[in-house]
């Protein structure tokens, strides 16, 4: 989609981080923007000072809410041309430690939020028959194993496959709609503060951080990487470059492909999954290999 000025952009998860940066970038490009999130105060900060941006409280876990968001974009601005399905949350801990409500919350936001968005926006884009683009926020963790972040990694792996499938299907029907899959590494966002927006309907008796020392160390390491991560504004520039150049994959960090390559090698060479995780304690793989050989 070469021309964005005067077009309409909808961004979910727009109250902070990458969503806020993309929404503000869209406005700076002369687009009409509808910023969506469950955080009203954050949305107000996002659209503050932007004459061509509006906000809409939206719970992406609801199909009806996504329908209302898509309908509002058409009613307010006359159409929808760029949609960035970006809302995301995270829990940590061993996979078996996450409660049913932990799993439901992460999958409902990260995966069902994208599913609902695709089902609500793509038909309207097809009906318009104009050049348009849909961006989904996956993660580097959607292309590699995510130990101690099972629900998050599961949701993001599913989102990657959904985006790939959607892109192929749109090409099959010769639709003028591009798709991009954003797979960011560490970005300075509020993802590790996701609990602030957890609804009561997903209440969990388990804390965010596990008491296990290995899990706790991973949590602290990841939280520090996010805290010191890339400026979301840089990501917004990458997103718009991909939109203009019909680019599917969007990587933010140079070493992301190294991680993907390591995971692919482990799959193709039938290695233990731990050997496909770049940066993992090497003794972890050795211990698991020894255990497997002992069996």
């Amino acid at each position: 989609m070469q021309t964005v000025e005067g077009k309409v952009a909808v961004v979910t998860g727009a109250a902070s981080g990458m969503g806020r940066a993309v929404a503000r970038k869209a406005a700076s490009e002369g687009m009409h923007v509808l910023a969506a999130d469950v955080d009203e105060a954050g949305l107000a900060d996002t659209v503050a000072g932007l004459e061509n941006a509006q906000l809409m409280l939206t719970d992406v876990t609801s199909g009806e809410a996504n329908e209302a968001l898509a309908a509002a974009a058409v009613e307010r601005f006359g159409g929808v041309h760029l949609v960035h399905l970006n809302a995301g949350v995270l829990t940590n801990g061993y996979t078996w430690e996450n409660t049913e409500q932990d799993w439901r919350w992460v999958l409902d936001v990260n995966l069902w939020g994208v599913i609902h968005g695709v089902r609500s926006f793509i038909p309207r884009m097809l009906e318009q028959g104009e050049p348009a683009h849909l961006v989904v926020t996956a993660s580097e963790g959607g292309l590699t194993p995510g130990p101690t972040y099972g629900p998050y990694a599961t949701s993001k792996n599913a989102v990657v496959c959904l985006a790939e499938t959607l892109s192929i299907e749109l090409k099959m029907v010769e639709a003028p709609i591009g798709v991009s899959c954003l797979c960011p590494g560490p970005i300075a966002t509020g993802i590790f503060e996701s609990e602030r927006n957890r609804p009561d309907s997903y209440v969990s008796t388990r804390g965010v951080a596990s008491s296990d020392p290995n899990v706790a160390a991973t949590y602290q390491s990841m939280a520090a990487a996010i805290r010191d991560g890339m400026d979301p504004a840089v990501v917004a520039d990458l997103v718009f470059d991909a939109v203009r150049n019909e680019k599917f994959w969007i990587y933010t960090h140079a070493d992301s492909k190294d991680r993907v390559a390591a995971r692919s090698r482990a799959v193709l060479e039938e290695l233990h999954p731990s050997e496909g995780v770049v940066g993992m304690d090497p003794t972890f793989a050795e211990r698991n290999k020894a255990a497997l050989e002992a069996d």
Side-chain angles (χ1 to χ4, degrees):
M1 189 173 73
Q2 292 292 323
T3 303
V4 298
E5 186 175 2
K7 303 297 184 180
V8 180
V10 178
V11 184
T12 66
S16 63
M18 292 184 292
R20 172 178 289 175
V22 170
R24 295 187 70 85
K25 171 70 174 178
S28 73
E29 293 278 351
M31 301 188 78
H32 302 287
V33 178
L34 185 55
D37 204 298
V38 294
D39 179 356
E40 187 171 14
L43 281 177
D45 288 341
T46 294
V47 303
L50 303 178
E51 295 182 0
N52 51 339
Q54 298 181 21
L55 61 82
M56 183 169 175
L57 281 176
T58 305
D59 179 357
V60 299
T61 68
S62 162
E64 292 78 8
N66 279 274
E67 272 294 304
L69 179 65
V74 175
E75 291 168 5
R76 296 184 190 186
F77 302 117
V80 58
H81 305 92
L82 172 60
V83 176
H84 188 170
L85 304 175
N86 170 74
V89 296
L90 167 141
T91 64
N92 93 310
Y94 291 124
T95 300
W96 59 88
E97 289 183 325
N98 282 270
T99 67
E100 180 177 341
Q101 292 308 312
D102 291 333
W103 276 94
R104 290 189 181 279
W105 180 47
V106 173
L107 293 178
D108 281 354
V109 175
N110 295 5
L111 176 56
W112 274 101
V114 174
I115 294 171
H116 290 318
V118 167
R119 296 185 67 250
S120 294
F121 285 99
I122 291 297
R124 288 173 168 85
M125 289 173 160
L126 288 169
E127 186 176 354
Q128 284 176 173
E130 301 175 14
H133 205 96
L134 184 138
V135 181
V136 299
T137 297
S139 170
E140 184 180 283
L143 298 168
T144 59
T148 76
Y149 294 95
Y152 180 83
T154 298
S155 69
K156 295 302 186 179
N157 271 266
V159 165
V160 168
C161 189
L162 188 160
E164 290 176 301
T165 301
L166 176 63
S167 184
I168 294 169
E169 292 172 339
L170 290 170
K171 194 175 186 66
M172 288 171 63
V173 300
E174 299 182 346
I177 304 171
V179 178
S180 293
C181 185
L182 172 60
C183 298
I187 311 297
T189 70
I191 188 69
F192 270 74
E193 301 166 7
S194 297
E195 292 290 327
R196 72 191 189 281
N197 289 325
R198 187 195 283 236
D200 293 339
S201 57
Y202 294 102
V203 67
S204 174
T205 57
R206 189 183 68 87
V208 178
S210 171
S211 59
D212 182 281
N214 291 323
V215 176
T218 303
Y219 177 87
Q220 292 167 3
S221 176
M222 287 293 293
I226 294 297
R227 184 176 59 250
D228 300 330
M230 179 181 288
D231 185 340
V234 177
V235 181
D237 289 339
L238 294 173
V239 167
F240 270 78
D241 177 72
V243 169
R244 286 194 167 98
N245 292 288
E246 299 291 335
K247 185 179 178 182
F248 181 83
W249 298 106
I250 308 174
Y251 295 108
T252 60
H253 290 68
D255 62 357
S256 292
K257 293 182 181 180
D258 294 335
R259 298 177 188 280
V260 174
R263 191 274 180 96
S264 298
R265 183 179 67 85
V267 172
L268 295 174
E269 297 182 14
E270 302 178 25
L271 304 175
H272 188 274
S274 61
E275 297 187 51
V277 182
V278 174
M280 176 171 278
D281 175 5
T283 62
F284 183 90
E286 292 171 5
R287 293 197 307 270
N288 278 276
K289 184 177 180 180
L292 289 169
E293 290 175 347
D295 290 342

